[in-house]
Amino acid sequence: MANQSSRNVWVDYLRATITVLVVAHHAALAYTTFSVFNKDAYILSTHAMVDNRRWALLDDLVGFNDTFFMSLMFFIGGLYFFSSIAKKGVLAFTKDKVYRLLIPFLLLGTLLMLLAYFPSYYLAKGNTAIWAYVKDFFTTEAWPVGPPWFLWLLFVFNLIAAFAYRLFYTKKLVSNPTLFKENTKAFTVFIILFFIGLLAYLPMAAYFGPYSWTGIGPFDFQLSRLILYFAYFGIGIAVGRLAIGAGVFAESSSTVRYYPVWCLLAIVAFFVFSTGFLNKVLTGQQLNIKQMAILNNSLFVLCCTLTSIAFISTFSKLVVKKITWWDSLSSHAYLIYLVHFVYITWLQFGLLNVNIPAGAKFFLVFVLSLGLSWGTAYLLRKIALVKKYL
């Protein structure tokens, strides 16, 4: 396999930045105007903790993140598929994913969610009996998965890709990928990603609805976005087939050169999507509910496409050297992702009766949970086995 690059710093820094956005996302969910807590089954709440203090600006933060950041995480998850499987072989690659993704999801994820959701149980039941909580956790709440849901789905995607690689891979088949070469025009890249997104998302969102989740036990996933996430994972694999520094997101590519344009278009697209601007403009066109749903779902895909390209191109263009603190954040990002939800829920719980504005509560929860998660990750990585896989 020719022309594989070493890991690019900007990819690692981008992944770390998205992890920070995940922490901010969960820190904000207690204080959005749409937050609702369900005492009968807290798993049906919009978030594990819901405060009576609200701030509408956080609705936009949550809405903005929701349009792109999980798709982008799956994209990054696929970038090093070819280089990794070529180095390790299919069996060793699969074994590595079991240790890095599946086991942490089942064991560490379950333990951490047991810690994270205890305040929710207390608010719902007014009970602190540990055994009653554990029983409720696995029965009434059906084993809440929390943020680690990403890990098991990424594991399955890698398993599918490894199986396909074992069955169908030939050097002739993938030796000259053309869709994502450095000289591919920027508009072509946008069109490819946008239409892949439409094909992956619109039918699923139309049939299941844009917000429906399902699963068995902890194996939860969002129905409408399942194929979209797999598509972005596959796009990541295709982009990573070439050396990333020489592919469509190389620093000198036209896609990356236009990074300010992508940023501007992403902001405009989110404004149109979040404000319902087109809905208001088209009010007199007598569009039916189905047509309006297609329009809104298409705008969601447009936001996902433009914002993902904006982040990727901006990091590829501007991240040109290593920075010590960012290196540390990057090294600890996986564990920060795993442990942050515990700190989030307990800090939000501790601030429930504190008489300060929602914005101040959000800031405190975000900064403290990020710092505590970072510190916890630093300590855990002192353990050789943890450092090897996490």
Side-chain angles (χ1 to χ4, degrees), residues 214-389:
T214 191
I216 300 174
F219 299 98
D220 280 352
F221 62 94
Q222 195 165 359
L223 274 166
S224 61
R225 301 184 190 180
L226 178 63
I227 299 178
L228 178 67
Y229 291 154
F230 186 64
Y232 267 79
F233 177 75
I235 293 168
I237 290 177
V239 170
R241 175 62 186 89
L242 290 166
I244 295 171
V248 70
F249 292 117
E251 184 182 350
S252 58
S253 70
S254 64
T255 304
V256 171
R257 286 202 306 271
Y258 289 118
Y259 78 93
V261 177
W262 298 122
C263 291
L264 178 61
L265 290 175
I267 292 169
V268 172
F270 180 69
F271 171 80
V272 173
F273 174 67
S274 63
T275 61
F277 179 77
L278 276 186
N279 292 4
K280 298 171 185 176
V281 171
L282 297 173
T283 298
Q285 302 300 314
Q286 296 183 339
L287 298 179
N288 59 40
I289 295 176
K290 184 177 181 180
Q291 290 170 327
M292 292 302 294
I294 292 173
L295 174 63
N296 288 328
N297 291 336
S298 299
L299 284 173
F300 170 84
V301 174
L302 181 64
C303 287
C304 181
T305 306
L306 289 172
T307 310
S308 295
I309 296 175
F311 267 85
I312 295 167
S313 59
T314 299
F315 272 73
S316 178
K317 184 67 176 180
L318 300 184
V319 177
V320 294
K321 63 179 181 179
K322 288 193 172 187
I323 301 172
T324 302
W325 67 265
W326 219 339
D327 276 340
S328 175
L329 180 64
S330 175
S331 298
H332 298 94
Y334 187 7
L335 275 169
I336 290 172
Y337 181 87
L338 273 174
V339 306
H340 80 275
F341 201 62
V342 177
Y343 292 117
I344 290 280
T345 58
W346 280 93
L347 286 167
Q348 289 170 340
F349 174 68
L351 290 172
L352 283 178
N353 296 318
V354 178
N355 190 24
I356 58 176
K361 290 188 176 187
F362 160 74
F363 180 77
L364 285 171
V365 172
F366 169 58
V367 172
L368 289 174
S369 58
L370 178 60
L372 290 167
S373 299
W374 198 337
T376 302
Y378 175 80
L379 293 175
L380 287 174
R381 280 173 58 85
K382 295 291 185 180
I383 304 170
L385 186 63
V386 173
K387 186 174 182 179
K388 180 178 181 180
Y389 292 108

Side-chain angles (χ1 to χ4, degrees), residues 127-176:
N127 187 357
T128 58
I130 301 300
W131 174 245
Y133 165 61
V134 172
K135 182 180 179 182
D136 179 82
F137 182 91
F138 288 108
T139 56
T140 303
E141 315 303 334
W143 200 337
V145 64
W149 70 267
F150 168 75
L151 302 182
W152 83 264
L153 199 54
L154 182 60
F155 170 76
V156 170
F157 289 171
N158 273 284
L159 206 62
I160 294 171
F163 183 72
Y165 178 94
R166 184 70 176 265
L167 288 181
F168 305 115
Y169 173 78
T170 64
K171 290 184 177 181
K172 183 178 180 180
L173 181 64
V174 295
S175 60
N176 295 302

